[in-house]
Amino acid sequence: MQPAGPSGLGSWFVTRYARKHFDEAEEFLSKYILTLYVTGTSPRTKIAIDNLDRICKQELDGRYELEIVDVLEHPQRAEDEKILATPTLIKQLPPPLRRVIGDLSDKEKVLLGLEVRSDLPSSPTGST
């Protein structure tokens, strides 16, 4: 009988088990958990939802969960999250928590605000 050491079955199991859970945690943290707070069914609400839907489909490739909360129907939730203006998008995960306020029409600023992109496209050299 061979002892379970560095080359034994015990080591293989621990490594395999740890790797499985690491992969699950990595997948969980790479998923964007988003909540969009809106007011009713106004044109501004529809624009924000359409813009966010387009951005998520183009840039997050299925790696997101989106919840839309109408502050008129859920005022306590809006108060708990300190929603002062709508539409407001909150990124819960991955950390850090981020907020973007407005109709989400500027895709690059939304991505920067959510930290999906690390920087806005640079302007041509020499311009101010």
Side-chain angles (χ1 to χ4, degrees):
M1 183 179 218
Q2 186 175 3
S7 61
L9 181 59
S11 175
W12 174 86
F13 177 77
V14 169
T15 302
R16 180 109 169 141
Y17 180 81
R19 182 67 189 164
K20 177 180 182 262
H21 288 285
F22 176 78
D23 289 345
E24 288 172 359
E26 187 175 48
E27 180 181 329
F28 177 73
L29 289 176
S30 70
K31 188 175 223 173
Y32 288 81
I33 308 298
L34 307 171
T35 306
L36 179 63
Y37 289 86
V38 297
T39 304
T41 57
S42 70
R44 188 168 167 87
T45 294
K46 180 171 179 5
I47 290 169
I49 292 170
D50 291 346
N51 287 334
L52 183 58
D53 185 54
R54 178 181 38 82
I55 291 169
C56 288
K57 286 179 179 172
Q58 290 175 354
E59 301 294 329
L60 300 182
D61 192 33
R63 297 176 297 125
Y64 68 95
E65 290 180 19
L66 173 61
E67 178 183 17
I68 298 173
V69 177
D70 184 340
V71 300
L72 298 176
E73 294 179 16
H74 304 282
Q76 186 60 51
R77 188 148 173 218
E79 185 177 327
D80 293 346
E81 288 292 336
K82 298 180 178 25
I83 302 300
L84 301 177
T86 59
T88 295
L89 176 63
I90 298 180
K91 178 189 76 161
Q92 305 285 345
L93 288 174
L97 185 135
R98 302 288 291 193
R99 292 172 181 251
V100 179
I101 299 171
D103 68 7
L104 312 174
S105 58
D106 188 330
K107 177 181 169 181
E108 292 303 318
K109 286 186 180 178
V110 171
L111 294 174
L112 181 64
L114 295 178
E115 295 185 344
V116 173
R117 297 262 171 89
S118 60
D119 203 357
L120 287 172
S122 57
S123 59
T125 307
S127 65
T128 56

